[in-house]
Amino acid sequence: MPTSDCLTALEESGEKSLAYKIPVDYYILFGICILFIIAAFIFDSPAKIIDGYIIIHTSRSVLITDYIELAGIGAALINSAILVIFNLFILIINKRDPNGKIIAALFLTIGFSLFGKNMLNTIPIMAGVWLYGRVSGKKFSEMVVFAMVSTTIAPIVSEVAFLNESFSFPMFFAAYGIGIFVGFIFPVIADYVQGMHNYYCLYNGGIAGGFIATMFAGFLKSVGVDIIPMNLWDTEHTTKLAIIAYVIAAALILYGLITERFKTAVKKYIELLKEHDPYDNDYLVKYHNTCYINIGIMCIVSTTVMLLLGKAINGPVLGGIFTVSGFAACGKHLRNAIPIIIGSIIAVYLNHLKFDESVNTLAILFSTGMAPIAGKYGWHWGIITGFLHVSVAVFIGDINGGLNLYNNGFAGSFISVLILPIIIVFKTLYTKLKTKIIKNNIYKGKI
């Protein structure tokens, strides 16, 4: 190739590499990480943070392992910030532009890094997804969302690595091998189970993770290994964490109002509240920065609901709040989430568990993964769906030993399979009855 052609090719490749500018959306998430880091060093000493960070990475992480209770609020916040920055780095080097699902996945990472995810147990699973992409001929930029949500089964790695709460190098390497394997099969299963709920459950990764975790838990039990339940639940940092949630929410709303201009932002937000199509719910792409107003409002609402119910805000609860917030970028808003929350609160009051039981508390927040049902079929079906979701979610974690962090997504698979055919049957019967009444009235001359 002539020198001039080489130079031209280099210039074109250089222009292509420079063409990608880091999106503002990623700077927003990075800003949240900075807030977490600052708060960590305000709340805890550097020595305690370092010790706690080591504890997080050398402990089991099955549901429910509140890292704030386990290792301190500073270490938990640092763990979350580091893991989100790691995910942002992956997105940026793969030049992936943000959309609603990516924002949701990043908020999931923020939240679940407070009670189950860490660098040690997520890396092998994400590596497994990368390996699947290489084998199937897909670019990792196409697989990155799968990689981020696949870490719902991160506790599998920690469980094997620290089996019987002890450490050995053979078990550590076995844990990483298993992590790579489950990461490799995750995208295939996640694609397949989407047909179960027909996009009416937002937590598709939780459904895939639930099946994998159940299979793995069954295998462990079959060889005589019992998965010891965990219920670490902090109750001492509600005020601090509520302030963090409110500050982030206020900043996001303010950002949306300023960048979209107040009148335009309000108009777009009203349009967003009318959204009900489960197949076309990428609010970031459709509404741009107005999406952050929706995220902020859902963060405020979910935090306030917890406080009004007298619930402690800790790692898992803040994780639930950020999950509600993140999926406000691709599927949730006030109109479709509130009926689900109402139904779930009713179920929590009526079931035999204590009202402040941890699984009850989390089920209220995570039940909003079924919000598309309320959006499509009405508030009354939303209340019924929320009620049924809690009834399943508070018990379903037992079958996979807490190895699936997105446990409410797994519950959603059962609810969607149950409720959607019932809704269709009742709507069909209602339509037939209405048609019959109209025909009779026409025949009698009343119409």
Side-chain angles (χ1 to χ4, degrees):
M1 179 184 291
T3 305
S4 59
D5 291 343
C6 290
L7 289 172
T8 302
L10 285 171
E11 286 172 1
E12 287 176 353
S13 64
E15 286 175 5
K16 188 177 180 181
S17 64
L18 292 172
Y20 180 81
K21 292 178 66 175
I22 299 175
V24 175
D25 308 84
Y26 295 158
Y27 284 115
I28 291 171
L29 271 296
F30 183 71
I32 294 174
C33 294
I34 296 299
L35 175 64
F36 272 31
I37 292 169
I38 293 171
F41 284 98
I42 291 173
F43 298 148
D44 271 337
S45 66
K48 189 173 180 181
I49 289 171
I50 293 170
D51 289 342
Y53 191 70
I54 293 170
I55 290 170
I56 286 172
H57 287 77
T58 55
S59 300
R60 300 168 62 241
S61 293
V62 296
L63 284 176
I64 301 170
T65 305
D66 184 351
Y67 285 164
I68 293 176
E69 177 70 13
L70 175 71
I73 186 171
L77 291 172
I78 290 293
N79 181 64
S80 178
I82 289 174
L83 206 54
V84 174
I85 291 170
F86 174 71
N87 279 271
L88 286 170
F89 176 73
I90 289 174
L91 288 164
I92 290 167
I93 63 172
N94 283 281
K95 300 180 181 179
R96 183 63 193 265
D97 289 326
N99 57 28
K101 287 185 178 181
I102 286 176
I103 297 300
L106 286 167
F107 271 87
L108 276 175
T109 305
I110 294 172
F112 281 89
S113 299
L114 297 171
F115 71 114
K117 296 183 183 182
N118 55 63
M119 288 293 289
L120 184 144
N121 63 18
T122 61
I123 285 176
I125 296 174
M126 295 180 80
V129 176
W130 172 84
L131 183 61
Y132 171 79
R134 294 285 292 182
V135 170
S136 60
K138 296 180 180 179
K139 294 179 180 179
F140 189 61
S141 59
E142 300 172 20
M143 306 296 298
V144 70
V145 175
F146 282 120
M148 293 167 73
V149 300
S150 68
T151 52
T152 176
I153 45 178
I156 291 176
V157 176
S158 295
E159 189 68 18
V160 175
F162 305 106
L163 196 64
N164 299 321
E165 299 186 346
S166 60
F167 175 82
S168 67
F169 280 107
M171 293 307 295
F172 178 82
F173 290 120
Y176 262 54
I178 291 169
I180 291 170
F181 171 73
V182 296
F184 186 87
I185 65 174
F186 183 89
V188 181
I189 296 174
D191 265 340
Y192 185 81
V193 299
Q194 195 115 282
M196 292 179 59
H197 55 85
N198 206 20
Y199 294 88
Y200 281 97
C201 177
L202 295 172
Y203 306 152
N204 191 61
I207 299 173
F211 283 110
I212 294 172
T214 301
M215 174 192 71
F216 190 76
F219 170 75
L220 287 180
K221 290 177 182 178
S222 70
V223 296
V225 177
D226 290 324
I227 302 172
I228 302 169
M230 293 281 280
N231 192 28
L232 294 179
W233 191 258
D234 175 73
T235 58
E236 303 297 323
H237 298 89
T238 295
T239 302
K240 294 174 182 176
L241 297 174
I243 290 172
I244 289 175
Y246 282 132
V247 167
I248 291 171
L252 292 174
I253 292 171
L254 190 61
Y255 171 75
L257 290 172
I258 292 172
T259 55
E260 289 280 8
R261 308 244 177 141
F262 184 82
K263 287 185 178 180
T264 304
V266 171
K267 184 180 179 181
K268 283 187 175 182
Y269 179 66
I270 292 171
E271 291 175 6
L272 189 153
L273 290 175
K274 297 175 184 177
E275 290 281 347
H276 63 273
D277 188 349
Y279 307 103
D280 182 24
N281 60 7
D282 192 328
Y283 302 156
L284 184 68
V285 171
K286 295 175 74 173
Y287 297 98
H288 306 292
N289 292 340
T290 301
C291 173
Y292 288 104
I293 298 174
N294 192 45
I295 293 173
I297 288 173
M298 292 306 298
C299 184
I300 288 173
V301 168
S302 51
T303 304
T304 304
V305 166
M306 291 292 100
L307 294 176
L308 290 176
L309 293 174
K311 303 288 189 180
I313 297 180
N314 48 32
V317 172
L318 190 59
I321 290 168
F322 281 126
T323 299
V324 174
S325 306
F327 278 93
C330 61
K332 295 182 185 179
H333 51 68
L334 285 176
R335 288 187 65 192
N336 63 14
I338 292 298
I340 302 287
I341 292 173
I342 291 171
S344 66
I345 291 173
I346 294 170
V348 165
Y349 270 111
L350 294 180
N351 69 28
H352 79 278
L353 299 173
K354 293 180 181 179
F355 180 72
D356 60 351
E357 194 82 26
S358 56
V359 289
N360 263 339
T361 301
L362 295 180
I364 293 172
L365 291 167
F366 288 109
S367 64
T368 53
M370 308 302 292
I373 292 178
K376 183 70 173 180
Y377 296 109
W379 62 268
H380 48 295
W381 285 114
I383 291 174
I384 294 169
T385 300
F387 185 94
L388 293 175
H389 179 89
V390 171
S391 302
V392 174
V394 296
F395 301 112
I396 202 169
D398 295 339
I399 69 173
N400 57 53
L403 295 176
N404 178 34
L405 293 174
Y406 308 163
N407 190 53
N408 279 263
F410 190 38
S413 65
F414 291 87
I415 298 304
S416 59
V417 168
L418 172 70
I419 197 71
L420 288 173
I422 293 174
I423 292 173
I424 292 169
V425 167
F426 273 93
K427 283 182 71 66
T428 303
L429 291 174
Y430 173 76
T431 302
K432 286 183 178 180
L433 181 61
K434 186 177 179 181
T435 303
K436 188 175 181 181
I437 292 171
I438 291 172
K439 285 182 178 179
N440 285 339
N441 286 335
I442 292 173
Y443 178 74
K444 293 176 181 179
K446 292 181 179 179
I447 297 178

